[in-house]
PDB file of all heavy atoms in Angstrom:
ATOM      1  N   ILE A 129     -16.834   2.594 -22.772  1.00  0.00           N
ATOM      2  CA  ILE A 129     -16.775   3.788 -23.613  1.00  0.00           C
ATOM      3  C   ILE A 129     -17.880   3.713 -24.625  1.00  0.00           C
ATOM      4  O   ILE A 129     -18.568   4.692 -24.923  1.00  0.00           O
ATOM      5  CB  ILE A 129     -15.398   3.843 -24.338  1.00  0.00           C
ATOM      6  CG1 ILE A 129     -14.283   4.262 -23.296  1.00  0.00           C
ATOM      7  CG2 ILE A 129     -15.369   4.715 -25.499  1.00  0.00           C
ATOM      8  CD1 ILE A 129     -12.907   4.189 -23.726  1.00  0.00           C
ATOM      9  N   GLN A 130     -18.064   2.514 -25.174  1.00  0.00           N
ATOM     10  CA  GLN A 130     -19.129   2.287 -26.260  1.00  0.00           C
ATOM     11  C   GLN A 130     -20.538   2.657 -25.533  1.00  0.00           C
ATOM     12  O   GLN A 130     -21.422   3.297 -26.141  1.00  0.00           O
ATOM     13  CB  GLN A 130     -19.066   0.854 -26.700  1.00  0.00           C
ATOM     14  CG  GLN A 130     -20.286   0.244 -27.262  1.00  0.00           C
ATOM     15  CD  GLN A 130     -20.305   0.332 -28.701  1.00  0.00           C
ATOM     16  OE1 GLN A 130     -19.999   1.284 -29.323  1.00  0.00           O
ATOM     17  NE2 GLN A 130     -20.809  -0.729 -29.334  1.00  0.00           N
ATOM     18  N   ARG A 131     -20.746   2.201 -24.324  1.00  0.00           N
ATOM     19  CA  ARG A 131     -21.998   2.442 -23.610  1.00  0.00           C
ATOM     20  C   ARG A 131     -22.184   3.903 -23.415  1.00  0.00           C
ATOM     21  O   ARG A 131     -23.326   4.428 -23.533  1.00  0.00           O
ATOM     22  CB  ARG A 131     -21.931   1.709 -22.242  1.00  0.00           C
ATOM     23  CG  ARG A 131     -23.227   1.945 -21.374  1.00  0.00           C
ATOM     24  CD  ARG A 131     -23.042   1.322 -20.008  1.00  0.00           C
ATOM     25  NE  ARG A 131     -22.227   2.153 -19.079  1.00  0.00           N
ATOM     26  CZ  ARG A 131     -22.657   3.199 -18.462  1.00  0.00           C
ATOM     27  NH1 ARG A 131     -23.912   3.740 -18.616  1.00  0.00           N
ATOM     28  NH2 ARG A 131     -21.815   3.871 -17.592  1.00  0.00           N
ATOM     29  N   LEU A 132     -21.183   4.629 -22.984  1.00  0.00           N
ATOM     30  CA  LEU A 132     -21.243   6.016 -22.579  1.00  0.00           C
ATOM     31  C   LEU A 132     -21.414   7.042 -23.773  1.00  0.00           C
ATOM     32  O   LEU A 132     -21.872   8.107 -23.659  1.00  0.00           O
ATOM     33  CB  LEU A 132     -20.039   6.433 -21.767  1.00  0.00           C
ATOM     34  CG  LEU A 132     -19.996   5.830 -20.385  1.00  0.00           C
ATOM     35  CD1 LEU A 132     -18.536   5.942 -19.855  1.00  0.00           C
ATOM     36  CD2 LEU A 132     -20.971   6.508 -19.480  1.00  0.00           C
ATOM     37  N   LEU A 133     -20.986   6.464 -25.026  1.00  0.00           N
ATOM     38  CA  LEU A 133     -21.041   7.410 -26.188  1.00  0.00           C
ATOM     39  C   LEU A 133     -22.552   7.497 -26.689  1.00  0.00           C
ATOM     40  O   LEU A 133     -23.284   6.482 -26.678  1.00  0.00           O
ATOM     41  CB  LEU A 133     -20.227   6.887 -27.371  1.00  0.00           C
ATOM     42  CG  LEU A 133     -18.721   7.220 -27.283  1.00  0.00           C
ATOM     43  CD1 LEU A 133     -17.975   6.486 -28.368  1.00  0.00           C
ATOM     44  CD2 LEU A 133     -18.491   8.704 -27.342  1.00  0.00           C
ATOM     45  N   LYS A 134     -22.947   8.676 -27.148  1.00  0.00           N
ATOM     46  CA  LYS A 134     -24.139   8.837 -27.841  1.00  0.00           C
ATOM     47  C   LYS A 134     -24.026   8.139 -29.150  1.00  0.00           C
ATOM     48  O   LYS A 134     -22.908   8.099 -29.748  1.00  0.00           O
ATOM     49  CB  LYS A 134     -24.568  10.361 -28.011  1.00  0.00           C
ATOM     50  CG  LYS A 134     -24.783  11.044 -26.707  1.00  0.00           C
ATOM     51  CD  LYS A 134     -24.992  12.552 -27.007  1.00  0.00           C
ATOM     52  CE  LYS A 134     -25.068  13.320 -25.787  1.00  0.00           C
ATOM     53  NZ  LYS A 134     -25.193  14.752 -25.930  1.00  0.00           N
ATOM     54  N   PRO A 135     -25.120   7.772 -29.849  1.00  0.00           N
ATOM     55  CA  PRO A 135     -25.027   7.290 -31.243  1.00  0.00           C
ATOM     56  C   PRO A 135     -24.342   8.393 -32.058  1.00  0.00           C
ATOM     57  O   PRO A 135     -24.691   9.539 -31.909  1.00  0.00           O
ATOM     58  CB  PRO A 135     -26.476   7.069 -31.619  1.00  0.00           C
ATOM     59  CG  PRO A 135     -27.255   6.832 -30.356  1.00  0.00           C
ATOM     60  CD  PRO A 135     -26.468   7.627 -29.273  1.00  0.00           C
ATOM     61  N   GLU A 136     -23.420   8.052 -32.902  1.00  0.00           N
ATOM     62  CA  GLU A 136     -22.599   8.986 -33.720  1.00  0.00           C
ATOM     63  C   GLU A 136     -21.575   9.681 -32.914  1.00  0.00           C
ATOM     64  O   GLU A 136     -20.851  10.493 -33.459  1.00  0.00           O
ATOM     65  CB  GLU A 136     -23.527  10.012 -34.412  1.00  0.00           C
ATOM     66  CG  GLU A 136     -24.486   9.437 -35.380  1.00  0.00           C
ATOM     67  CD  GLU A 136     -24.108   9.747 -36.851  1.00  0.00           C
ATOM     68  OE1 GLU A 136     -22.917   9.553 -37.245  1.00  0.00           O
ATOM     69  OE2 GLU A 136     -24.901  10.174 -37.651  1.00  0.00           O
ATOM     70  N   GLY A 137     -21.454   9.451 -31.617  1.00  0.00           N
ATOM     71  CA  GLY A 137     -20.469  10.045 -30.811  1.00  0.00           C
ATOM     72  C   GLY A 137     -19.060   9.391 -31.180  1.00  0.00           C
ATOM     73  O   GLY A 137     -19.036   8.376 -31.774  1.00  0.00           O
ATOM     74  N   ILE A 138     -18.033  10.114 -30.778  1.00  0.00           N
ATOM     75  CA  ILE A 138     -16.708   9.628 -31.155  1.00  0.00           C
ATOM     76  C   ILE A 138     -15.738   9.491 -29.992  1.00  0.00           C
ATOM     77  O   ILE A 138     -15.828  10.170 -28.945  1.00  0.00           O
ATOM     78  CB  ILE A 138     -15.974  10.717 -32.185  1.00  0.00           C
ATOM     79  CG1 ILE A 138     -15.942  12.086 -31.625  1.00  0.00           C
ATOM     80  CG2 ILE A 138     -16.680  10.656 -33.536  1.00  0.00           C
ATOM     81  CD1 ILE A 138     -14.998  13.048 -32.427  1.00  0.00           C
ATOM     82  N   LEU A 139     -14.947   8.424 -30.216  1.00  0.00           N
ATOM     83  CA  LEU A 139     -13.786   8.268 -29.255  1.00  0.00           C
ATOM     84  C   LEU A 139     -12.570   8.833 -29.990  1.00  0.00           C
ATOM     85  O   LEU A 139     -12.284   8.415 -31.154  1.00  0.00           O
ATOM     86  CB  LEU A 139     -13.563   6.700 -29.020  1.00  0.00           C
ATOM     87  CG  LEU A 139     -12.212   6.315 -28.412  1.00  0.00           C
ATOM     88  CD1 LEU A 139     -12.117   6.831 -26.962  1.00  0.00           C
ATOM     89  CD2 LEU A 139     -12.016   4.772 -28.460  1.00  0.00           C
ATOM     90  N   ILE A 140     -11.855   9.708 -29.350  1.00  0.00           N
ATOM     91  CA  ILE A 140     -10.615  10.240 -29.917  1.00  0.00           C
ATOM     92  C   ILE A 140      -9.526   9.486 -29.047  1.00  0.00           C
ATOM     93  O   ILE A 140      -9.479   9.527 -27.867  1.00  0.00           O
ATOM     94  CB  ILE A 140     -10.558  11.764 -29.655  1.00  0.00           C
ATOM     95  CG1 ILE A 140     -11.585  12.450 -30.460  1.00  0.00           C
ATOM     96  CG2 ILE A 140      -9.109  12.263 -30.064  1.00  0.00           C
ATOM     97  CD1 ILE A 140     -11.582  14.003 -30.289  1.00  0.00           C
TER      98      ILE A 140
END
Side-chain angles (χ1 to χ4, degrees):
I129 287 171
Q130 156 96 320
R131 178 186 78 76
L132 290 162
L133 277 174
K134 296 179 187 175
E136 296 251 48
I138 56 169
L139 166 67
I140 298 180

